Amino acid sequence: MALETVLLALGPGDAERVDRLAEETIDIAGPSEATVLLGHVFTEAEYERAIDSLGFDVTAGEVSPNEVAHRHATVRELGDRLDEAGVEFAIGGAVGDHGDSIVGLAEESGADLVIVGGRRRSPAGKAVFGSTAQKVMLSAPCPVTFVRADTS
């Protein structure tokens, strides 16, 4: 199976994992010359907060999830890192349940691989991934790579 499209799924907790997500994504997508879709998923509440905090003029019309994702700091930082590494990328956004929306982005983009980040878990929690990662791993139409935040 050739890697042509890699979905790097992003959400509210991924700002703390930017370095690890960038490293892993570049290590995977770079050699295969795959295009990375930086897909930021927002719940309704996160989306409304992002529109306000990013200074969108809502009087000018509806703001799309793609527009919000393009301005999001985590997406911009990862885009800069991918650009520096010579990895092609696109940006997309979605609003809804994180797990379902990530799976939807993977299906819509024809992703060959999904990369999803997660936090370090307690000893008891290590047997299970977070609910979003678990939902994606069980429902995605392609393989999923889980990237844990730095352990330092």
Side-chain angles (χ1 to χ4, degrees):
M1 172 181 97
L3 278 180
E4 294 179 15
T5 304
V6 174
L7 169 60
L8 174 52
L10 302 168
D14 289 318
E16 66 193 38
R17 293 183 274 276
V18 166
D19 290 338
R20 289 276 297 137
L21 290 169
E23 287 172 22
E24 295 298 326
T25 302
I26 290 166
D27 285 351
I28 291 168
S32 64
E33 298 182 358
T35 298
V36 175
L37 173 59
L38 297 172
H40 200 295
V41 176
F42 307 90
T43 62
E44 283 289 340
E46 292 163 353
Y47 182 62
E48 295 301 324
R49 281 193 303 273
I51 286 173
D52 289 341
S53 69
L54 294 172
F56 281 97
D57 180 10
V58 294
T59 61
E62 191 173 324
V63 179
S64 78
N66 289 344
E67 292 173 289
V68 176
H70 270 84
R71 281 202 202 170
H72 201 278
T74 304
V75 173
R76 287 194 332 264
E77 185 174 348
L78 281 162
D80 290 345
R81 300 276 295 273
L82 293 172
D83 197 38
E84 288 171 11
V87 174
E88 294 289 323
F89 69 95
I91 298 171
V95 177
D97 171 77
H98 288 137
D100 291 336
S101 296
I102 292 167
V103 171
L105 283 171
E107 291 170 346
E108 291 168 20
S109 67
D112 301 302
L113 176 72
V114 175
I115 298 174
V116 64
R119 65 187 179 280
R120 189 169 182 172
R121 312 236 358 130
S122 68
K126 286 184 180 179
V128 200
F129 292 97
S131 60
T132 298
Q134 191 167 15
K135 182 178 250 180
V136 173
M137 287 183 200
L138 294 173
S139 303
C142 59
V144 177
T145 297
F146 181 79
V147 177
R148 190 175 69 195
D150 285 329
T151 57
S152 51

